[in-house]
């Protein structure tokens, strides 16, 4: 099955081992075909009476419906944007425009900058207070500290579904429970987690969930869910004619990237066909073999076992620069990342001023590729 599956990905048709999935997954041919087909046959804006325009209208409706199912939401609560970062900046403007000086926003050291900078800017604009929650020594979110940080002035609790640098998962239902107990909004950045497992906003109670399709085998387009009562309460930063009507569409600036929405639908079709059980079992098998075989002189930063994490690993080698390590792997035909991955909180906590080497496994990777990585790490 895996060999047939890999043939669906043009980007895997080489000798390079693609372990750079945390920075963006490969896309199956069906995604490329869907995007090209839209541009060939239906390249038109909405609002017209002719067939191509009507097809674009149907495409947006279908993309909203399919993304809602993917996120466990209602289609009226789902929208699109440039990417997760742009969406977070845009939605945070509306979410904070009526807050009062001294109101508080809680963030964490596990957050990506995309879920930190928007709140820092809003705080500077509105006189808000930012409270930052740390992590346990093993990189799990410090839940006791989170509970202490949430007060009667807390209005938003922003957190990641999983950290993109070290792979640590967050107990989303518990964070949501603590936020809601104080009457605060639970605002989840699910960007890193989306290719690894199901996200169900309704089941977890999260009020806002943000992500980007290029992480889960699609094109570059951002997706978001926000609870209807919030969308109806917030006033969007928007042009006049677009500020009314469909709850989530009120927060979508400009003309949507129709071809990217076609690719998004194809990516969701791919995941539906594959099923989360296969995805998770395959990633867990790869992660276990990697952890069992990691050479002793390499240091793993993060949880030492498979439970509680994604198959994303931050590594250092004493005395070696992470960028040099990534180059050494590239010279051996292995694509990996290096740096801080825009996750300054966890990197600073770990004392990794130069960042780390990051390797990440997705379901399309193989045990042979894990072995090839382990041999390369042993040689460096």
């Amino acid at each position: 099955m895996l060999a047939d599956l890999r043939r669906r990905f043009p980007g895997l048709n080489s000798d390079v081992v693609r372990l750079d999935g945390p920075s963006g997954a490969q896309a199956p041919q069906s995604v490329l075909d869907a995007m090209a087909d839209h541009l060939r046959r239906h390249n038109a804006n909405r609002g017209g009476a002719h067939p191509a325009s009507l097809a674009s209208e149907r495409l947006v409706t279908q993309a909203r419906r399919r993304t809602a199912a993917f996120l466990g939401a209602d289609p009226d609560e789902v929208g699109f944007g440039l990417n997760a970062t742009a969406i977070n900046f845009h939605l945070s403007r509306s979410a904070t425009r009526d807050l009062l000086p001294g109101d508080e926003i809680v963030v964490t050291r596990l957050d990506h900058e995309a879920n930190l900078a928007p709140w820092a800017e809003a705080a500077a604009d509105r006189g808000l207070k930012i409270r930052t929650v740390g992590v346990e020594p093993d990189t799990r979110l410090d839940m006791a500290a989170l509970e202490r940080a949430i007060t009667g002035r807390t209005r938003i609790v922003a957190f990641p579904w999983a950290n993109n640098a070290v792979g640590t998962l967050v107990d989303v239902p518990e964070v949501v429970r603590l936020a809601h107990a104080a009457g605060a909004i639970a605002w989840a950045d699910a960007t890193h987690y989306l290719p690894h497992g199901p996200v169900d906003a309704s089941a977890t109670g999260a009020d806002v969930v943000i992500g980007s399709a290029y992480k889960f085998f699609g094109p570059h387009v951002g997706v978001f869910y926000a609870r209807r009562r919030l969308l109806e309460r917030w006033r969007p930063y928007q042009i006049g004619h677009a500020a009314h009507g469909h709850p989530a569409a009120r927060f979508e600036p400009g003309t949507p990237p129709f071809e990217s929405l076609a690719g998004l639908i194809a990516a969701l079709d791919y995941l539906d066909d594959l099923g989360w059980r296969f995805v998770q079992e395959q990633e867990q098998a790869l992660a276990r073999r990697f952890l069992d075989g990691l050479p002793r002189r390499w240091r793993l930063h993060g949880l030492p076992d498979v439970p509680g994490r994604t198959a994303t690993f931050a590594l250092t080698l004493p005395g070696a620069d992470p960028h040099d390590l990534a180059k050494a792997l590239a010279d051996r035909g292995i694509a990996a990342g290096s740096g801080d991955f825009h996750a300054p909180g966890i990197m600073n906590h770990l004392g990794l001023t130069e960042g780390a080497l990051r390797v990440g496994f997705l379901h399309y990777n193989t045990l042979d590729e894990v072995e090839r990585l382990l041999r390369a790490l042993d040689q460096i």
Side-chain angles (χ1 to χ4, degrees), residues 142-163:
D142 187 336
M143 299 302 292
L146 175 64
E147 187 168 10
R148 292 192 299 270
I150 298 174
T151 74
R153 294 298 301 271
T154 302
R155 301 295 177 255
I156 295 167
V157 177
F159 62 97
W161 213 283
N163 176 262

Side-chain angles (χ1 to χ4, degrees), residues 344-376:
I346 191 62
M347 287 299 177
N348 290 336
H349 169 79
L350 294 169
L352 301 178
T353 57
E354 301 300 320
L357 175 73
R358 182 179 67 180
V359 296
F361 304 111
L362 292 171
H363 70 273
Y364 53 54
N365 291 118
T366 69
L367 286 171
D368 286 344
E369 290 179 328
V370 177
E371 298 298 338
R372 186 169 163 185
L373 170 64
L374 292 173
R375 287 194 297 272

Side-chain angles (χ1 to χ4, degrees), residues 80-82 86-87 90 224 237-239 242 249-257:
F80 310 107
L82 179 63
I87 288 172
H90 186 65
F224 72 86
Y237 286 81
Q238 184 62 282
I239 58 177
R250 298 169 64 231
F251 298 85
E252 297 172 342
T255 300

Side-chain angles (χ1 to χ4, degrees), residues 272-360:
D272 283 348
D273 181 56
L274 195 62
W276 283 120
R277 180 176 178 179
F278 173 80
V279 169
Q280 294 185 310
E281 289 180 351
Q282 173 68 3
E283 288 189 8
Q284 289 166 8
L286 298 171
R288 280 194 296 270
R289 176 64 195 112
F290 172 74
L291 291 172
D292 288 345
L294 183 64
R296 290 183 178 275
R297 60 199 181 91
W298 285 84
R299 183 176 180 188
L300 172 70
H301 300 274
L303 297 174
D305 207 346
V306 174
R309 62 149 53 249
T310 64
T312 297
F313 303 96
L315 307 170
T316 54
L317 189 62
D321 183 280
H323 302 288
D324 293 337
L325 296 172
K327 178 62 166 59
L329 286 182
D331 291 343
R332 291 166 170 80
I334 300 173
S338 62
D340 70 359
F341 314 108
H342 307 287
I346 191 62
M347 287 299 177
N348 290 336
H349 169 79
L350 294 169
L352 301 178
T353 57
E354 301 300 320
L357 175 73
R358 182 179 67 180
V359 296

Side-chain angles (χ1 to χ4, degrees), residues 54-378:
L54 295 174
S56 290
E57 189 69 59
R58 290 193 298 271
L59 175 68
V60 175
T61 299
Q62 184 184 9
R64 212 180 295 280
R65 177 176 58 81
R66 295 298 307 284
T67 304
F70 180 61
L71 297 178
D74 184 273
D76 284 352
E77 300 172 312
V78 167
F80 310 107
L82 179 63
N83 51 46
T85 302
I87 288 172
N88 236 9
F89 270 104
H90 186 65
L91 287 184
S92 66
R93 299 296 90 186
S94 295
T96 59
R97 71 189 306 170
D98 294 327
L99 297 190
L100 302 174
D103 284 346
E104 299 172 354
I105 298 169
V106 173
V107 299
T108 83
R109 292 194 183 278
L110 286 176
D111 275 296
H112 186 283
E113 279 186 305
N115 210 21
L116 294 173
W119 308 116
E121 292 301 319
D125 291 344
R126 305 289 303 171
L128 310 177
K129 182 176 181 178
I130 301 292
R131 292 179 176 267
T132 303
V133 176
V135 297
E136 303 282 2
D138 65 0
T139 73
R140 289 180 300 171
L141 185 62
D142 187 336
M143 299 302 292
L146 175 64
E147 187 168 10
R148 292 192 299 270
I150 298 174
T151 74
R153 294 298 301 271
T154 302
R155 301 295 177 255
I156 295 167
V157 177
F159 62 97
W161 213 283
N163 176 262
N164 67 300
V166 299
T168 303
L169 297 173
V170 169
D171 185 347
V172 175
E174 180 61 11
V175 175
V176 170
R177 185 188 71 79
L178 293 173
H180 287 176
I185 296 169
W187 193 293
D189 176 5
T191 306
H192 175 70
Y193 183 72
L194 285 171
H196 300 291
V199 166
D200 191 330
S202 296
T204 61
D207 299 298
V208 178
V209 178
I210 289 171
S212 284
Y214 78 97
K215 300 285 189 174
F216 55 91
F217 319 107
H220 286 267
V221 60
V223 300
F224 72 86
Y225 150 80
R227 195 175 297 279
R228 181 192 298 271
R229 62 176 175 79
L230 297 176
L231 294 171
E232 292 175 344
R233 187 178 77 203
W234 293 339
R235 184 160 58 93
Y237 286 81
Q238 184 62 282
I239 58 177
H241 77 273
H244 308 282
H246 185 287
R250 298 169 64 231
F251 298 85
E252 297 172 342
T255 300
F258 299 111
E259 68 279 8
S260 291
L261 296 185
L264 167 64
I265 293 168
L268 296 176
D269 286 342
Y270 169 77
L271 283 169
D272 283 348
D273 181 56
L274 195 62
W276 283 120
R277 180 176 178 179
F278 173 80
V279 169
Q280 294 185 310
E281 289 180 351
Q282 173 68 3
E283 288 189 8
Q284 289 166 8
L286 298 171
R288 280 194 296 270
R289 176 64 195 112
F290 172 74
L291 291 172
D292 288 345
L294 183 64
R296 290 183 178 275
R297 60 199 181 91
W298 285 84
R299 183 176 180 188
L300 172 70
H301 300 274
L303 297 174
D305 207 346
V306 174
R309 62 149 53 249
T310 64
T312 297
F313 303 96
L315 307 170
T316 54
L317 189 62
D321 183 280
H323 302 288
D324 293 337
L325 296 172
K327 178 62 166 59
L329 286 182
D331 291 343
R332 291 166 170 80
I334 300 173
S338 62
D340 70 359
F341 314 108
H342 307 287
I346 191 62
M347 287 299 177
N348 290 336
H349 169 79
L350 294 169
L352 301 178
T353 57
E354 301 300 320
L357 175 73
R358 182 179 67 180
V359 296
F361 304 111
L362 292 171
H363 70 273
Y364 53 54
N365 291 118
T366 69
L367 286 171
D368 286 344
E369 290 179 328
V370 177
E371 298 298 338
R372 186 169 163 185
L373 170 64
L374 292 173
R375 287 194 297 272
L377 294 177
D378 199 38

